[in-house]
Amino acid sequence: MIPETTGTEGETLIAKVMSTVRSRIASRALTPGAKLPSIRSFSTNLKVSKSTVVEAYDRLAAEGLIRSRPGSGFFVAAPLAPLSLADLGPKLDRQVDPLWISRQALESGDDVLKPGCGWLPPSWMQEEGLRRALRALARGNASTLVDYGPLLGLPALRTLLARRIGLRGIEVSPEQIMLTESGTQAIDLLCRFLLKPGDTVLVDDPCYFNFHALLRAHQAEIVGIPYTQTGPDIAAFADAVEIHRPRLYITNSALQNPTGATLSPLVAHRLLKLADKAGLTIIEDDIFADFEETPAPRLAAFDGLERVVHIGSFSKSLSAAVRCGFIVAPRAWIEPLADLKIATSFGGPGFSAALMLALLKDGSYRKHMEGVRQRLARAMAETTTKLTQIGITPWLEPQGGMFLWCKLPDGVDAADLARRALAKKIVLAPGNAFSHAQTASGFLRFNVAQCQDERLFRELALLIA
Amino acid sequence: MIPETTGTEGETLIAKVMSTVRSRIASRALTPGAKLPSIRSFSTNLKVSKSTVVEAYDRLAAEGLIRSRPGSGFFVAAPLAPLSLADLGPKLDRQVDPLWISRQALESGDDVLKPGCGWLPPSWMQEEGLRRALRALARGNASTLVDYGPLLGLPALRTLLARRIGLRGIEVSPEQIMLTESGTQAIDLLCRFLLKPGDTVLVDDPCYFNFHALLRAHQAEIVGIPYTQTGPDIAAFADAVEIHRPRLYITNSALQNPTGATLSPLVAHRLLKLADKAGLTIIEDDIFADFEETPAPRLAAFDGLERVVHIGSFSKSLSAAVRCGFIVAPRAWIEPLADLKIATSFGGPGFSAALMLALLKDGSYRKHMEGVRQRLARAMAETTTKLTQIGITPWLEPQGGMFLWCKLPDGVDAADLARRALAKKIVLAPGNAFSHAQTASGFLRFNVAQCQDERLFRELALLIA
């Protein structure tokens, strides 16, 4: 008898064993560190010879996927990162991967232009106020500096937040507010609280790209709802609710990221009626609130915090280095959310909260943000003109904020443009990073505060041509 | 025919329908917001009359468990906190619930004695150094104050950490270190990275109580390994590895919380051999490192960071208000861990990291910790004497740190004592909060730095008598 492991047939059988092992590892039926079936039992199960299994295991070991331990068998190699985000969803082009833009924006040096970045340049922030607040805290009381703060976070900051949120029509008591380390952590805690793997979540299409990454980390099914100039497409929303029975909808009501659009009262009302009927929870991410000239309607205001949870942070307006966010939730949710916060991050933003309080109490913050809004309005007008001149057209004239969602000339692919722009030290934010349906390949998101350098428009014109 | 809904039989049927709904909600077959079966279909399925279902639904609505929406049926009420931690494990006595001690320690006022608390009193911390560092940063560069930091965290701090960790025998490059918001967040990220619901995790019994809460949040199966004075019981460890095929083991190698014990080189070696054979990953939580007089062996040092991940933070030694922790991991894990960090909390501890760097660079930190260690050694000796006098006996004389794990006189139940002590404004840490097997009802953990008030010993003597 010819040994099975030689010749074409032998190769086919070895490949079959290898692919069986690979798919068991991919499906996590075999997790890193797990022992592989013994050669004898595997050969019986797969109806191949023992030498075929030996050869397959040896090749997999050579690939580094499994490791042999003399005397005890084969094991799945350990540093395999089983739950890497990249493994959880369809493999995207890394250049339009939701995490790619974040990495580029965070990692690039000062000589790089970042119109694709999601925050203001440091020089736009309230640096002097922050220095003043730091000096004040350096003289302040010791426990603010060294002790864990109270469970829900600094009471004085929660009281001030309740008042500020009240100005947007959302009536809330400080006991309904819990401080978190960031706006993203606030949404993450809520997802842990509300979702189990496989639950469906609705997002706007386009939406903030990190929602995709976050929801992938929760192993949620994502369904995108086309976003119109006045909010999500209500007919599509109604259909999605009916078909997918989602658990959650995550959105921005005002100055939506990336479009800059604002929800109309009509759409808000219809949305809430649908959510109410279906028992859907809504997370309203409101981190750009202080960039609005006139407060737009908030879902949480219409709903009275029954099924809408409101979140915010200070990363965009005060400081991204000093981490502090918050959750505004129905009263009954606060205790279990606090338990979850203790379990997963123990303390809250003790010192950061004190710093935010010092800054917000100070009347200079209001004045500073007035200045930022005026400066952004000017930058918005200038950037619109310059982009239009090179054939890049805003989809909407936003009522405020820093984002401009723009259509590229026909035939120009945003991901391709982003790749080529990176070689010129320009970080762009290509549309499909924001689009779950991958239907925004002709769009880019610009941050007008990061479009102050003429080189950007010259290079873009060349890259497009 | 007598209507089914009256009389004993009717009551039984109504109760049956109600309990069916309750158990579907408990098992998450019906999630908050989900529509309940229609009255018609439910009555057919359960073989009861429609009026029985109507009555059952009405009573559940009166209880607040479900809500009626005229015209569209009944829905599971929203604020039900489906993934509250309390629902995930066996229901513990709230007084020895892992989260209870945290809540009490965080929430109690200044007039409360907290020998059960897990950190130093503010007056023991390096307050002056912190004030100095704040003033320095108030004059420092703007981007530290307002910008997102680099992805893995401040390079200068990672370099300094690599050097410090090297002193404990763990050779590591700064590229293998990622900063996090806290030590707890570091472990949480690793659990997200490594675990799926239902995976088994080994912990020491007793161990830091928040490990239980954290692992419950990950829906892991917890298996406790009896902890001896030189580390986990190796025979029990070997059995658990064989029987439960765990994915992970979480431990402290030095100054174990709550016992204060330190791993012997012999146990460390055997442990690693077992872990290696089984392909087990170990998280070594080293947040009390700077409290050691002489560095004890670290698992990460023996293992060379192949299957041991090392974590730390500054909450216990520098400040609990300024949040900053870190992960030291195999090189291949860093990129996916960073992706997960972006997705779930976006930035890192930007400003806090800069503050920690300023403090650590300063030679005064070394001096300060020398002072803390001396003070703790004195407090340890004094507390040991005073507790022994009232019949509370230390299980071990720790080599350092703040914890003293003590046996109560026979017949005294720690949870009961903790309940009664709370009425006297004393927060204790009863043994079973640390014990997965609930075999430590005769133990308390004392923090000797929080045992400086004579009232504590007087009250304890009375409570025990």
Side-chain angles (χ1 to χ4, degrees):
Chain A
M1 193 180 118
I2 302 166
E4 211 181 74
T5 42
T6 62
T8 320
E9 197 193 351
E11 284 300 323
T12 313
L13 291 172
I14 294 165
K16 178 185 155 195
V17 177
M18 291 175 72
S19 101
T20 305
V21 173
R22 274 205 199 88
S23 73
R24 286 195 192 175
I25 291 172
S27 71
R28 289 182 55 82
L30 281 172
T31 51
K35 192 166 187 297
L36 267 75
S38 74
I39 303 212
R40 180 199 307 260
S41 73
F42 213 35
S43 75
T44 312
N45 283 345
L46 294 182
K47 300 193 176 53
V48 297
S49 75
K50 279 189 254 175
S51 58
T52 299
V53 177
V54 169
E55 181 64 24
Y57 279 13
D58 277 344
R59 291 191 194 174
L60 288 168
E63 283 180 14
L65 197 67
I66 66 176
R67 289 161 91 174
S68 132
R69 294 193 186 280
S72 44
F74 285 85
F75 294 82
V76 180
L80 245 192
L83 268 182
S84 128
L85 286 176
D87 298 339
L88 286 174
K91 193 79 190 167
L92 294 174
D93 180 353
R94 185 75 188 176
Q95 248 76 343
V96 291
D97 186 306
L99 294 167
W100 181 82
I101 302 172
S102 306
R103 278 182 173 273
Q104 291 303 329
L106 291 170
E107 291 294 274
S108 307
D110 288 340
D111 57 334
V112 171
L113 300 178
K114 303 179 190 176
C117 163
W119 51 90
L120 297 177
S123 61
W124 286 54
M125 304 295 267
Q126 199 188 355
E127 187 189 321
E128 264 320 307
L130 209 50
R131 292 185 195 279
R132 202 162 48 236
L134 278 177
R135 288 193 300 265
L137 286 184
R139 292 186 303 266
N141 83 52
S143 91
T144 306
L145 299 181
V146 297
D147 219 353
Y148 287 102
L151 200 53
L152 299 183
L154 196 62
L157 180 58
R158 290 188 289 116
T159 302
L160 186 146
L161 282 174
R163 212 161 52 228
R164 289 170 54 88
I165 295 165
L167 298 177
R168 282 171 241 151
I170 305 166
E171 273 186 54
V172 61
S173 101
E175 285 73 45
Q176 287 178 271
I177 302 178
M178 181 173 83
L179 303 186
T180 61
E181 315 258 9
S182 65
T184 305
Q185 199 217 19
I187 303 178
D188 182 50
L189 263 181
L190 287 163
C191 285
R192 294 178 107 152
F193 182 61
L194 295 166
L195 298 180
K196 58 178 198 315
D199 277 354
T200 297
V201 178
L202 306 184
V203 296
D204 300 319
D205 191 338
C207 72
Y208 173 40
F209 50 75
N210 206 48
F211 290 167
H212 299 148
L214 177 65
L215 290 171
R216 279 207 272 161
H218 286 276
Q219 302 185 46
E221 298 290 330
I222 303 173
V223 173
I225 308 295
Y227 205 76
T228 76
Q229 300 201 347
T230 54
D233 182 301
I234 279 294
F237 192 90
D239 285 350
V241 164
E242 187 70 31
I243 298 167
H244 300 286
R245 309 201 151 275
R247 176 78 194 91
L248 199 60
Y249 169 48
I250 306 184
T251 191
N252 318 116
S253 299
L255 305 180
Q256 199 254 1
N257 182 0
T259 63
T262 287
L263 194 66
S264 77
L266 182 75
V267 174
H269 179 64
R270 291 193 177 158
L271 201 60
L272 280 171
K273 258 174 50 181
L274 286 167
D276 223 31
K277 207 170 142 198
L280 183 71
T281 298
I282 300 175
I283 298 179
E284 182 173 55
D285 174 5
D286 205 21
I287 61 166
F288 292 104
D290 291 341
F291 290 88
E292 268 182 315
E293 277 297 344
T294 327
R298 293 299 193 280
L299 289 169
F302 286 118
D303 168 71
L305 289 166
E306 288 215 350
R307 65 176 56 264
V308 179
V309 193
H310 193 77
I311 78 113
S313 92
F314 309 99
S315 306
K316 306 301 174 188
S317 55
L318 279 172
S319 165
V322 182
R323 311 286 291 156
C324 184
F326 57 87
I327 294 175
V328 190
R331 220 171 268 269
W333 291 24
I334 295 293
E335 182 173 331
L337 281 171
D339 278 356
L340 196 56
K341 190 175 77 158
I342 293 182
T344 58
S345 67
F346 207 78
F351 179 79
S352 302
L355 201 54
M356 290 300 129
L357 177 65
L359 272 162
L360 288 170
K361 271 195 320 199
D362 189 333
S364 67
Y365 173 67
R366 199 182 46 76
K367 231 172 170 164
H368 167 74
M369 283 309 294
E370 262 176 39
V372 168
R373 286 194 299 267
Q374 283 170 18
R375 205 167 159 189
L376 277 174
R378 271 197 307 277
M380 187 71 80
E382 285 164 19
T383 308
T384 300
T385 306
K386 288 175 192 165
L387 287 173
T388 309
Q389 280 164 359
I390 57 174
I392 299 177
T393 336
W395 177 74
L396 172 96
E397 192 184 314
Q399 290 173 27
M402 59 185 86
F403 295 132
L404 206 50
W405 181 242
C406 295
K407 177 89 187 68
L408 289 167
D410 287 343
V412 179
D413 179 76
D416 174 61
L417 188 66
R419 264 186 296 269
R420 288 186 291 124
L422 197 59
K424 304 278 179 191
K425 300 203 166 197
I426 298 174
V427 175
L428 295 175
N432 274 349
F434 305 87
S435 168
H436 185 254
Q438 299 287 290
T439 50
S441 63
F443 287 84
L444 285 176
R445 184 193 72 181
F446 286 91
N447 174 348
V448 299
Q450 302 271 8
C451 294
Q452 304 289 293
D453 190 321
E454 288 302 327
R455 178 167 87 77
L456 170 67
F457 302 96
R458 282 199 310 274
E459 297 279 12
L460 277 178
L462 290 171
L463 286 165
I464 286 173
Chain B
M1 193 180 120
I2 303 166
E4 211 179 69
T5 43
T6 63
T8 321
E9 199 194 350
E11 283 301 321
T12 313
L13 292 171
I14 294 165
K16 177 186 158 194
V17 176
M18 290 175 73
S19 99
T20 305
V21 173
R22 273 204 199 91
S23 72
R24 287 196 191 175
I25 292 173
S27 71
R28 289 182 55 82
L30 282 171
T31 51
K35 195 168 186 294
L36 268 75
S38 75
I39 302 214
R40 180 200 307 260
S41 74
F42 213 36
S43 75
T44 312
N45 283 345
L46 295 183
K47 302 193 173 55
V48 297
S49 75
K50 279 191 254 175
S51 58
T52 298
V53 178
V54 169
E55 181 65 24
Y57 279 12
D58 277 346
R59 291 190 195 175
L60 289 169
E63 284 180 14
L65 197 68
I66 65 175
R67 291 160 87 175
S68 132
R69 299 199 181 276
S72 43
F74 285 85
F75 295 82
V76 180
L80 246 194
L83 268 183
S84 126
L85 286 178
D87 298 341
L88 286 174
K91 192 80 189 166
L92 295 174
D93 181 350
R94 184 75 187 173
Q95 249 75 345
V96 292
D97 185 307
L99 295 166
W100 180 83
I101 303 173
S102 307
R103 277 184 174 271
Q104 291 303 330
L106 292 170
E107 290 294 272
S108 306
D110 289 339
D111 57 337
V112 172
L113 300 178
K114 302 178 192 176
C117 164
W119 51 90
L120 297 177
S123 61
W124 286 56
M125 304 294 268
Q126 200 189 357
E127 187 189 322
E128 263 321 305
L130 210 51
R131 292 185 195 281
R132 202 162 49 236
L134 278 176
R135 288 192 300 266
L137 286 183
R139 293 185 303 265
N141 84 50
S143 92
T144 306
L145 299 181
V146 298
D147 219 353
Y148 287 102
L151 201 52
L152 299 184
L154 196 61
L157 179 57
R158 291 188 290 115
T159 303
L160 187 145
L161 282 175
R163 212 160 50 226
R164 290 171 54 87
I165 295 165
L167 297 178
R168 281 171 241 150
I170 305 166
E171 270 185 57
V172 62
S173 100
E175 285 71 45
Q176 287 178 271
I177 302 178
M178 180 173 85
L179 303 186
T180 61
E181 316 258 9
S182 64
T184 306
Q185 199 216 18
I187 302 179
D188 183 50
L189 264 179
L190 287 164
C191 285
R192 292 178 107 149
F193 182 61
L194 295 166
L195 298 180
K196 60 178 198 311
D199 276 355
T200 297
V201 178
L202 305 184
V203 297
D204 300 318
D205 191 337
C207 73
Y208 173 40
F209 51 73
N210 207 48
F211 289 168
H212 299 147
L214 177 66
L215 290 170
R216 279 208 269 162
H218 285 276
Q219 303 185 47
E221 298 291 330
I222 303 172
V223 172
I225 308 295
Y227 204 77
T228 76
Q229 301 201 345
T230 54
D233 181 302
I234 280 294
F237 193 90
D239 286 349
V241 164
E242 187 69 29
I243 298 167
H244 300 286
R245 309 200 150 272
R247 177 78 193 90
L248 198 61
Y249 169 48
I250 307 184
T251 191
N252 318 115
S253 299
L255 304 181
Q256 198 254 3
N257 182 0
T259 63
T262 287
L263 195 66
S264 76
L266 182 75
V267 175
H269 179 65
R270 292 195 176 157
L271 201 61
L272 281 171
K273 258 175 48 184
L274 286 167
D276 223 32
K277 203 169 147 197
L280 184 70
T281 297
I282 299 176
I283 297 179
E284 181 173 55
D285 173 6
D286 205 21
I287 61 168
F288 292 102
D290 290 341
F291 290 89
E292 266 183 316
E293 277 297 342
T294 325
R298 292 299 194 279
L299 290 170
F302 287 117
D303 169 70
L305 289 167
E306 288 215 350
R307 61 178 59 263
V308 178
V309 193
H310 193 78
I311 78 114
S313 93
F314 309 98
S315 305
K316 307 301 174 188
S317 55
L318 280 171
S319 164
V322 182
R323 312 285 291 157
C324 185
F326 57 88
I327 294 174
V328 189
R331 222 171 267 270
W333 291 24
I334 295 292
E335 181 172 331
L337 280 171
D339 278 357
L340 197 55
K341 188 175 81 159
I342 293 182
T344 58
S345 67
F346 207 76
F351 178 78
S352 302
L355 202 54
M356 290 300 128
L357 177 64
L359 272 163
L360 288 171
K361 270 196 317 200
D362 190 334
S364 67
Y365 173 67
R366 198 182 47 77
K367 233 174 170 164
H368 167 75
M369 283 309 294
E370 262 175 39
V372 167
R373 286 194 298 267
Q374 283 169 17
R375 206 169 159 187
L376 277 173
R378 270 198 308 276
M380 187 71 81
E382 284 164 17
T383 308
T384 299
T385 306
K386 288 176 192 166
L387 287 174
T388 309
Q389 280 164 359
I390 56 172
I392 300 175
T393 335
W395 178 75
L396 172 95
E397 193 184 314
Q399 289 173 27
M402 61 185 85
F403 296 133
L404 205 49
W405 180 243
C406 295
K407 176 89 186 70
L408 289 168
D410 286 344
V412 179
D413 178 77
D416 174 62
L417 188 66
R419 262 186 296 269
R420 288 186 292 124
L422 197 60
K424 304 279 181 191
K425 300 203 165 194
I426 298 172
V427 175
L428 295 175
N432 273 348
F434 304 86
S435 168
H436 185 254
Q438 299 286 289
T439 49
S441 62
F443 286 83
L444 285 176
R445 183 193 72 182
F446 286 90
N447 174 346
V448 299
Q450 302 271 7
C451 293
Q452 304 290 293
D453 191 321
E454 288 300 327
R455 180 168 86 78
L456 170 66
F457 302 97
R458 282 200 311 273
E459 295 279 11
L460 278 178
L462 290 171
L463 286 167
I464 287 174

